[in-house]
Amino acid sequence: MSNFYNKMSSVYAKPMNKRMTLQEFSQANQWINDTLSINSYGMPQSGSTVSQRESSSFLPVTQPASAPASPVGSPVAQLLSTPSNITLDPNWQAIKSTVRERNAAMFNNDLMADIYFIVGSPGHIQRIPSHKYILATGSSVFYAMFYGGLADTKEEIEVPDVEPTAFLTLLRYLYCDEIQLEADTVLATLYVAKKYIVPHLARACVNYLETSLTAKNACLLLSQSRLFEEPELMQRCWEVIDAQAEIALHSDGFVDIDSDTLQSVLGRETINCKETILWEAAMNWASAECNRREIEPTPSNKRQVLDSALYLLRLPAMSLEEFANGPAQMGMLTLEETVDLFLHYTASNKPRLTYPTKPRVGLKPQTCHRFQSCAYRSNQWRYRGRCDSIQFSVDRRVFIVGFGLYGSSTGAADYNVKIELKRLGRILAENNTKFFSDGSSNTFHVYFAHPVQVDPELFYTASAILDGAELSYFGQEGLSEINAGCVTFQFQCSSESTNGTGVQGGQIPELIFYGPTSEDQ
């Protein structure tokens, strides 16, 4: 996979006639297909429309219900590869009332074709008819190719570095103003859109990738967004990686990222996980890289392939126990480094280290508090296994970390609690945990094992079932809309709430989350 990134980077920086193999695209698409066809809730993508961000664009961008096993068997590919039969009627123009309809009839059609493209690598070649005028009006590259000072006069043009299905997707957009994207060809389509400078199609590809972004594919998509110079997609990837770092670093695709992306991850200040997780991820990547280079994944070889990336790991930020039971025994460090690190932990006169000693900043949790006051004594809140629940939505993507809950109003008490986060009845995260209430009106935080991605303009359900002292504080004067930093939360009552919690009052006074801050704007 590293060859894919290295070769693709060199191709992208060179003139368009430089060769890139179809196999290199297929390697990236093969893995990413499994994760792009799954949405952020772990469910298959349903047919939907992805709107482009440009306000002037009204193009339908469709996502199929599922991704096919191979481009050849794709329904879209079959449609794109079938020449139009509409023009067999000698009077076909009469039944086409718009320019768009008449241009669409010419899509992948030999009629009046004045240029042919030989697209794909050996064994996967397709001969595609086209019309210079239509291509030139949609792409400055095609205009220069056919009508510029150095116009190509050949009747056939070889395009070995592009997949036929991706090239046909480009032509469908130029002829028909339609964009049909699939998980297994979207990266190849983004490449061809960049190659021929068709920004609206490229934007649609990026939008598709953004909507398919999860912690399991974020690192690989980060590599792609860096390659294609897509800063917005890069930022979205970083949001996911920072907040759900443990899932992202343990994903299958992490070991396939290029070395530059690896260094950017290991050097990340705001990545939110323990240093031991980053160490394990770096070791997994090094083993995979040794296999790619066809060398034995010994400690010395893994250190060699990591090169300077090793010194981005903040080993002194581990606890002494974590270091002693992990890196110190893996043979990756020199004897001098190991001794110096142990002295750093234990000696008052600490040696100078080649590894950063300052822990990462990570992400700062933010809190949305939905009540203006709380009550106790005469109006006690009681439990007995009933569910307190509230629905909410946000206007920006956030990651829910946990909830703040009220505790006992009659003195210190321990609580067992089950917390859940749902979307359309499906549990996204749950945790059975405990918290200690000191008898004050403060809120007490309980957390999920991993932050949970919450997308904008969708309603989610937060629930808690408490078991402990029956009499507790409860919230009053609740608000239906609250601005928490840069994020606006909206609340509404939940049908799952059987203990009285609603918008105006009750339990679950706080949602704890990672999200954009004013510094990000």
Side-chain angles (χ1 to χ4, degrees):
M1 188 63 127
S2 60
N3 291 336
F4 168 79
Y5 294 109
N6 295 335
K7 293 182 180 179
M8 194 167 177
S9 297
S10 62
V11 168
Y12 195 66
K14 294 178 181 179
M16 295 301 180
N17 61 354
K18 295 297 181 181
R19 182 183 182 89
M20 180 183 184
T21 67
L22 177 64
Q23 182 181 7
E24 290 169 324
F25 268 117
S26 298
Q27 288 173 336
N29 290 341
Q30 180 65 36
W31 182 87
I32 209 168
N33 175 40
D34 295 335
T35 49
L36 289 186
S37 60
I38 303 295
N39 64 18
S40 58
Y41 320 120
M43 300 289 287
Q45 293 279 23
S46 59
S48 62
T49 298
V50 181
S51 60
Q52 298 190 68
R53 296 185 179 179
E54 292 80 7
S55 59
S56 61
S57 175
F58 298 94
L59 304 180
V61 184
T62 60
Q63 295 183 144
S66 62
S70 85
V72 175
S74 165
V76 172
Q78 292 174 0
L79 175 64
L80 294 180
S81 62
T82 303
S84 173
N85 293 320
I86 298 173
T87 55
L88 295 179
D89 182 348
N91 195 32
W92 64 270
Q93 296 90 339
I95 60 174
K96 303 297 179 185
S97 60
T98 66
V99 173
R100 180 182 176 278
E101 289 179 319
R102 292 190 288 275
N103 280 349
M106 293 292 99
F107 167 65
N108 198 21
N109 195 333
D110 286 290
L111 181 64
M112 295 185 287
D114 52 3
I115 188 69
Y116 285 83
F117 291 90
I118 311 301
V119 184
S121 59
H124 301 87
I125 289 176
Q126 188 169 336
R127 188 172 185 264
I128 300 173
S130 298
H131 306 79
K132 292 181 180 180
Y133 169 75
I134 293 177
L135 300 187
T137 58
S139 161
S140 58
V141 174
F142 283 130
Y143 177 83
M145 186 184 298
F146 302 135
Y147 301 104
L150 299 175
D152 199 328
T153 58
K154 294 187 295 185
E155 294 183 359
E156 291 186 346
I157 296 176
E158 292 186 1
V159 189
D161 59 327
V162 173
E163 290 188 17
T165 49
F167 194 81
L168 285 163
T169 300
L170 169 70
L171 295 190
R172 175 172 282 277
Y173 167 70
L174 296 178
Y175 279 79
C176 310
D177 276 354
E178 294 177 7
I179 301 175
Q180 293 181 324
L181 300 176
E182 292 184 350
D184 57 354
T185 58
V186 63
L187 292 175
T189 302
L190 177 58
Y191 172 72
V192 73
K194 289 278 190 175
K195 173 170 182 170
Y196 292 106
I197 312 181
V198 184
H200 290 282
L201 178 58
R203 182 71 258 166
C205 293
V206 172
N207 289 345
Y208 184 101
L209 293 170
E210 286 180 355
T211 61
S212 305
L213 177 62
T214 69
K216 292 184 177 180
N217 61 34
C219 291
L220 191 57
L221 286 182
L222 177 64
S223 286
Q224 295 293 332
S225 59
R226 287 164 56 90
L227 175 64
F228 289 120
E229 299 178 350
E230 288 291 342
E232 290 186 23
L233 181 57
M234 285 178 59
Q235 179 58 33
R236 290 293 185 91
C237 291
W238 278 125
E239 290 175 6
V240 173
I241 294 169
D242 281 345
Q244 298 179 305
E246 188 169 345
I247 299 174
L249 296 176
H250 283 156
S251 66
D252 294 338
F254 178 79
V255 299
D256 291 326
I257 64 177
D258 62 288
S259 58
D260 288 341
T261 302
L262 174 71
Q263 292 198 38
S264 68
V265 171
L266 298 184
R268 184 78 171 172
E269 185 70 28
T270 50
I271 197 164
N272 207 58
C273 67
K274 298 177 67 173
E275 201 66 30
T276 52
I277 301 297
L278 285 158
W279 170 267
E280 292 170 3
M283 295 306 103
N284 291 337
W285 184 92
S287 295
E289 181 66 12
C290 286
N291 292 332
R292 287 189 285 268
R293 299 188 187 185
E294 298 182 348
I295 58 176
E296 188 72 20
T298 62
S300 60
N301 284 341
K302 289 195 285 187
R303 178 167 182 140
Q304 179 185 348
V305 299
L306 281 170
D307 195 26
S308 59
L310 180 65
Y311 299 104
L312 297 173
L313 291 163
R314 306 187 183 190
L315 301 183
M318 297 181 183
S319 68
L320 174 57
E321 182 180 2
E322 288 171 339
F323 174 73
N325 292 322
Q329 298 189 43
M330 294 185 64
M332 290 286 296
L333 308 177
T334 66
L335 179 60
E336 181 182 1
E337 287 174 330
T338 304
V339 171
D340 284 348
L341 281 162
F342 274 120
L343 290 175
H344 174 82
Y345 286 110
T346 57
S348 55
N349 185 19
K350 301 182 186 300
R352 183 183 296 273
L353 300 177
T354 54
Y355 297 92
T357 59
K358 186 178 179 182
R360 300 173 197 271
V361 173
L363 294 176
K364 181 180 179 181
Q366 301 179 59
T367 302
C368 174
H369 194 97
R370 66 191 192 91
F371 298 125
Q372 299 181 76
S373 65
C374 66
Y376 64 103
R377 291 182 184 169
S378 60
N379 296 313
Q380 303 284 3
W381 205 256
R382 298 175 181 271
Y383 297 105
R384 301 180 184 174
R386 291 189 292 262
C387 179
D388 288 291
S389 184
I390 192 72
Q391 286 193 320
F392 69 94
S393 68
V394 292
D395 66 341
R396 304 280 296 275
R397 172 184 287 169
V398 300
F399 299 84
I400 297 296
V401 179
F403 307 148
L405 301 174
Y406 286 123
S408 171
S409 60
T410 57
D414 289 308
Y415 283 89
N416 294 316
V417 59
K418 179 181 180 180
I419 57 173
E420 290 183 339
L421 186 65
K422 297 181 180 179
R423 162 74 181 148
L424 297 176
R426 180 176 181 272
I427 297 175
L428 305 180
E430 63 181 341
N431 192 21
N432 289 289
T433 185
K434 299 179 180 181
F435 71 91
F436 172 74
S437 167
D438 59 8
S440 71
S441 61
N442 295 331
T443 58
F444 304 94
H445 293 177
V446 291
Y447 301 98
F448 295 109
H450 303 288
V452 185
Q453 179 175 311
V454 166
D455 291 319
E457 314 305 335
L458 301 173
F459 270 95
Y460 295 78
T461 302
S463 301
I465 300 176
L466 280 77
D467 179 21
E470 285 200 357
L471 305 181
S472 78
Y473 291 91
F474 61 94
Q476 292 188 136
E477 300 179 279
L479 300 174
S480 60
E481 184 173 306
I482 299 171
N483 292 321
C486 299
V487 182
T488 299
F489 285 78
Q490 290 188 338
F491 294 93
Q492 65 181 29
C493 294
S494 168
S495 61
E496 297 183 22
S497 188
T498 59
N499 200 41
T501 289
V503 173
Q504 296 299 318
Q507 259 288 8
I508 317 181
E510 293 176 338
L511 299 180
I512 309 165
F513 67 98
Y514 297 136
T517 62
S518 56
E519 290 81 4
D520 299 328
Q521 307 306 307

